[in-house]
């Protein structure tokens, strides 16, 4: 069954989301999500490989207009 968020996988409320997953929710480019992170609008966690990951709970709160962290 397809999720109302994106594709077949719904975000794990306690997990992390990739930039492409966040961009799909907001209907923006992944580079825009990275820019939001650099501007402090969305907190990013860096993996050991240097990739950005975002807390699903914070992303969904912002998506629904609630204050983030």
């Amino acid at each position: 069954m397809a999720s109302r968020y994106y594709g077949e996988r719904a975000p794990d409320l306690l997990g992390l989301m990739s930039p492409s997953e966040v961009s799909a929710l907001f209907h923006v480019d992944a580079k825009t999500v990275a820019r939001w992170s650099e501007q402090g609008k969305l907190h990013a966690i860096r993996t050991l490989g240097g990739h950005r990951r975002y807390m699903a709970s914070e992303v969904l709160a912002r998506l629904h207009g609630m204050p983030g962290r």
Side-chain angles (χ1 to χ4, degrees):
M1 177 161 99
S3 164
R4 70 184 188 113
Y5 296 104
Y6 52 90
E8 302 249 340
R9 183 174 165 256
D12 176 2
L13 294 179
L14 299 175
L16 300 175
M17 298 175 68
S18 70
S20 63
E21 291 171 327
V22 176
S23 68
L25 286 176
F26 286 95
H27 303 286
V28 297
D29 191 84
K31 290 182 180 183
T32 300
V33 176
R35 191 168 36 254
W36 290 344
S37 175
E38 292 166 3
Q39 295 170 349
K41 295 179 180 180
L42 197 58
H43 179 255
I45 297 169
R46 292 287 187 150
T47 66
L48 292 176
H51 300 280
R52 288 182 175 95
R53 294 294 179 261
Y54 303 90
M55 292 294 299
S57 57
E58 180 184 358
V59 171
L60 294 177
R62 294 209 183 266
L63 181 67
H64 296 296
M66 299 182 301
R69 317 170 340 171

